[in-house]
Amino acid sequence: MVESDSKKTFRENVESYIDQAIDELNISEDISKIVKACRSVIQIKFPIKIKGKTEIIYGWRAIHSTHRLPSKGGLRYSQNVNQDEIEALSALMTFKSCIVDVPFGGAKGGLKIDPNKYSEEELEFITKKFTRELTRRGSLSPSRDVPAPDVGTSQREMAWIVDAYKSLHPEDINYAAVVTGKPLEHGGIRGRLQATGRGVHQSLKEFFRHNDELKKYNINKNFEDQIVTVQGFGNVGLNTCRALTEDGIKIVCVSEKEGMIFNEKGININNLIQFKEDNGSITGFPDGTFDKDPFNSLFIKSDILIPAALENAIVLDNVKKVNSKLIVEAANGPISFRANKELIKRNIPILPDIYANAGGVAVSYFEWIRNISHIRLGRMNRRYEENRGRDIVNVINQISDKKISQKNVETIVYGAKEEDIVNSGLEDTMRIAFQEIKDLKNKHKLSDYRTAAYGIAIKKLEKSYLELGL
Ligand code: GLU
């Protein structure tokens, strides 16, 4: 009889992962206490009047760490938002930033609302009011705390936050850096919208470059032959599917809130994206069988399972049904601590959330840099690079009797655009981070990649806290 873990909260699960890393790496217990403590949590209850009725909106912003500033993390709109969840997510943000080496502390915020219940104008009103409440309390500024989109929010909400913040701080020349994940017209960066999904894809590609690791788990080394199932088709799930499809990977199952689509031959992802755009949901997609229970997507037989929805999807009660050889956590906290232990016993490797989905915050860092430096990446050197390429082609043509093909000329005479630079930075980030995780795991013979990832983050925090003083 397996013990149920449904009583363990998300925050307690994160704490158990911290304990495991502290224990396996022999880090001092004092560091564990420091790392677990969320530095501050603001709870705000503000009234709004909508359709003649007064409602109280509950919101939180948790700042887990300020060892680097600003603190960074998304803003979630969901009926299930609560303080425990926001604190857990803020801790994950601290660890993520450490792992992908961006100089941010960790934070997370949320409003306990069902965004589908409100009109666009009402959501704008609620978002701007929340922004004012946070700004008034000294949270929220380009140098202190910088939100980004998360579940239930998007570029649209970020634009509203910029607008509200700017009206309160017209003197702040860096106002656009108060949030990341903005629309391009308001200081966003090309590639941020797709960044988390692309980062998940990069994490997988990097894993498949390490034959020694694949062997330990009996995983077929050909990335292109993998069969994938994805739980969740929001921004992260969708862009993960898109990136995998560009690599020719077969995705047999995709789910979202209303149910799942299964097609043994592989789902045409571009058609599915178009279908969702046209119909607002994947329900009724003709090329596959539909199952009303989206959770079944977690148990489809596949090589790679990608949970890309919410926390605690795989728990002790259902972990036995997982039928994949590798799991990549595109969502935050999709596997409970105890379920994780079972998966380790079954020798199923997991690329953990704090690494696999950290592409989002990495590209947020690039956006923030763009905003505070007030210049588009590549603007200063794109044409210079292009001209250098042209000079090289001319020299080769002068000294050689062979002609360079037009295709090669185009490749050489090319200056990197903003999106190229962002994607190159993202790829580099994800590659280096995995190598560090792998090295630490092997050096200390740790249980799994997650323990190693937590270990890297905790060791960095330990160093920073000890150097700065408590
Ligand atoms: N929602 C993103 C995450 O969970 C936000 C990260 C950011 O601040 O860009 O990683």
Side-chain angles (χ1 to χ4, degrees):
M1 174 72 181
V2 283
E3 196 187 343
S4 171
D5 58 353
S6 52
K7 292 236 159 53
K8 226 174 168 58
T9 69
F10 187 9
R11 189 174 47 77
E12 285 163 349
N13 271 308
V14 171
E15 288 182 357
S16 300
Y17 286 131
I18 295 172
D19 285 337
Q20 176 157 354
I22 296 265
D23 182 45
E24 289 193 29
L25 281 158
N26 262 326
I27 301 171
S28 114
E29 287 289 326
D30 286 350
I31 297 299
S32 154
K33 285 184 208 152
I34 299 171
V35 169
K36 281 181 189 168
C38 182
R39 290 304 149 95
S40 66
V41 191
I42 302 176
Q43 188 198 44
I44 295 167
K45 298 177 196 170
F46 57 94
I48 52 161
K49 199 163 199 171
I50 277 175
K51 297 181 192 88
K53 270 181 66 186
T54 300
E55 278 180 53
I56 304 294
I57 305 283
Y58 284 64
W60 290 267
R61 185 75 185 166
I63 312 287
H64 175 262
S65 75
T66 52
H67 70 293
R68 298 268 193 281
L69 285 172
S71 51
K72 190 81 192 77
L75 206 54
R76 178 172 285 206
Y77 288 3
S78 153
Q79 202 47 259
N80 300 324
V81 161
N82 59 66
Q83 185 166 332
D84 184 277
E85 178 195 49
I86 295 296
E87 283 190 32
L89 290 165
S90 71
L92 294 186
M93 283 311 307
T94 299
F95 305 145
K96 269 187 228 187
S97 290
C98 289
I99 289 162
V100 293
D101 204 22
V102 301
F104 291 148
K108 200 82 174 195
L111 288 181
K112 188 176 168 52
I113 57 167
D114 174 1
N116 300 317
K117 247 184 57 188
Y118 301 98
S119 68
E120 185 157 352
E121 290 72 35
E122 289 162 353
L123 281 172
E124 179 180 344
F125 180 77
I126 293 169
T127 303
K128 289 189 169 173
K129 193 146 189 196
F130 188 44
T131 305
R132 285 195 295 275
E133 297 288 339
L134 289 175
T135 310
R136 260 220 321 257
R137 286 165 174 82
S139 191
L140 198 75
S141 86
S143 57
R144 292 181 72 174
D145 183 33
V146 178
D150 199 82
V151 175
T153 58
S154 64
Q155 294 187 335
R156 182 182 68 172
E157 285 71 17
M158 300 306 114
W160 292 334
I161 295 175
V162 172
D163 189 51
Y165 175 81
K166 190 172 125 199
S167 66
L168 291 168
H169 288 287
E171 76 293 347
D172 188 348
I173 194 172
N174 292 321
Y175 67 85
V178 74
V179 285
T180 57
K182 299 177 287 290
L184 291 181
E185 309 73 55
H186 299 287
I189 198 167
R190 283 163 191 81
R192 173 61 185 89
L193 186 64
Q194 303 83 359
T196 312
R198 281 190 186 151
V200 172
H201 172 233
Q202 288 295 345
S203 74
L204 260 171
K205 273 180 91 161
E206 182 55 24
F207 180 62
F208 276 86
R209 285 190 190 100
H210 297 266
N211 244 325
D212 46 340
E213 296 298 304
L214 298 170
K215 270 197 200 133
K216 291 180 193 163
Y217 304 104
N218 294 320
I219 291 175
N220 166 5
K221 65 178 191 316
N222 296 327
F223 184 43
E224 309 75 38
D225 294 343
Q226 305 299 314
I227 290 176
V228 176
T229 173
V230 181
Q231 180 229 13
F233 205 54
N235 179 44
V236 178
L238 185 149
N239 281 299
T240 302
C241 287
R242 193 180 255 153
L244 291 170
T245 302
E246 281 165 13
D247 254 356
I249 307 277
K250 186 153 122 183
I251 300 170
V252 291
C253 180
V254 169
S255 70
E256 61 171 14
K257 269 203 287 311
E258 292 82 15
M260 65 168 230
I261 302 285
F262 175 75
N263 186 339
E264 206 179 8
K265 295 203 187 86
I267 297 170
N268 183 322
I269 292 299
N270 291 328
N271 287 354
L272 187 66
I273 293 172
Q274 189 59 53
F275 187 89
K276 186 177 165 170
E277 253 171 44
D278 296 341
N279 301 281
S281 146
I282 61 170
T283 311
F285 182 67
D287 297 327
T289 49
F290 185 74
D291 179 339
K292 270 202 296 219
D293 186 353
F295 275 91
N296 286 337
S297 60
L298 296 166
F299 316 122
I300 295 286
K301 184 173 171 16
S302 65
D303 297 311
I304 305 172
L305 166 63
I306 307 184
L310 291 169
E311 58 263 21
N312 280 333
I314 300 172
V315 291
L316 203 51
D317 299 335
N318 65 19
V319 65
K320 271 215 166 81
K321 293 198 264 174
V322 169
N323 200 359
S324 306
K325 295 181 193 136
L326 163 67
I327 303 179
V328 188
E329 295 184 330
N332 289 313
I335 302 178
S336 76
F337 180 71
R338 288 184 185 142
N340 191 71
K341 277 202 151 156
E342 294 301 312
L343 293 164
I344 295 174
K345 275 192 215 148
R346 283 170 60 191
N347 202 29
I348 298 177
I350 299 164
L351 300 182
D353 48 6
I354 51 175
Y355 160 62
N357 74 35
V361 74
V363 176
S364 277
Y365 172 46
F366 305 154
E367 180 175 333
W368 183 78
I369 290 175
R370 181 199 209 271
N371 296 149
I372 59 172
S373 57
H374 300 266
I375 188 162
R376 166 170 48 82
L377 303 186
R379 180 167 175 178
M380 300 284 274
N381 44 354
R382 182 171 169 210
R383 299 299 166 193
Y384 178 79
E385 281 173 21
E386 207 175 282
N387 292 335
R388 288 278 292 169
R390 193 166 291 114
D391 289 345
I392 292 170
V393 169
N394 288 340
V395 171
I396 296 173
N397 281 340
Q398 275 166 27
I399 61 170
S400 154
D401 47 6
K402 291 213 178 89
K403 198 121 188 75
I404 306 176
S405 73
Q406 187 52 31
K407 197 162 170 278
N408 283 341
V409 170
E410 277 162 28
T411 312
I412 301 169
V413 183
Y414 184 81
K417 297 200 287 273
E418 182 172 74
E419 191 159 5
D420 300 319
I421 298 170
V422 165
N423 288 338
S424 145
L426 174 63
E427 180 180 344
D428 188 54
T429 302
M430 298 311 288
R431 292 185 70 166
I432 291 178
F434 181 75
Q435 287 157 24
E436 283 178 8
I437 292 170
K438 179 194 132 170
D439 288 349
L440 193 77
K441 175 175 179 288
N442 294 340
K443 184 169 168 209
H444 294 274
K445 299 193 171 39
L446 304 175
S447 316
D448 58 352
Y449 296 119
R450 190 190 314 276
T451 307
Y454 270 82
I456 288 172
I458 295 168
K459 277 169 172 282
K460 282 194 184 173
L461 290 169
E462 177 182 26
K463 192 163 185 295
S464 169
Y465 292 138
L466 294 182
E467 280 168 6
L468 291 174
L470 293 184

